Amino acid sequence: MTSSSDLQVWQESDRRGHISCWHAYDPITGRSACFGSEEEMRIWIDKCYYR
């Protein structure tokens, strides 16, 4: 269970079940992004939240 103010992260899959992209959304700041890999998403999170 997450708070409505927590960073939300999810993956989008194609019809075959392969991950097509990763999404991140911060409801506090309204920032959102889409990435081609989990690694790219994690780098974005690190830069935005753990400087």
Side-chain angles (χ1 to χ4, degrees):
M1 189 168 188
T2 62
S3 168
S4 62
S5 62
D6 289 342
L7 179 67
Q8 299 170 23
V9 174
W10 67 98
Q11 61 190 22
E12 190 173 314
S13 301
D14 64 17
R15 293 180 186 188
R16 294 182 178 169
H18 298 107
I19 297 170
S20 58
C21 64
W22 289 84
H23 297 272
Y25 172 68
D26 183 347
I28 293 176
T29 64
R31 294 166 98 179
S32 65
C34 182
F35 305 94
S37 71
E38 181 180 3
E39 182 179 3
E40 290 173 350
M41 180 193 61
R42 289 179 180 273
I43 290 168
W44 179 80
I45 291 170
D46 286 344
K47 286 182 180 178
C48 291
Y49 299 98
Y50 300 107
R51 292 182 189 187

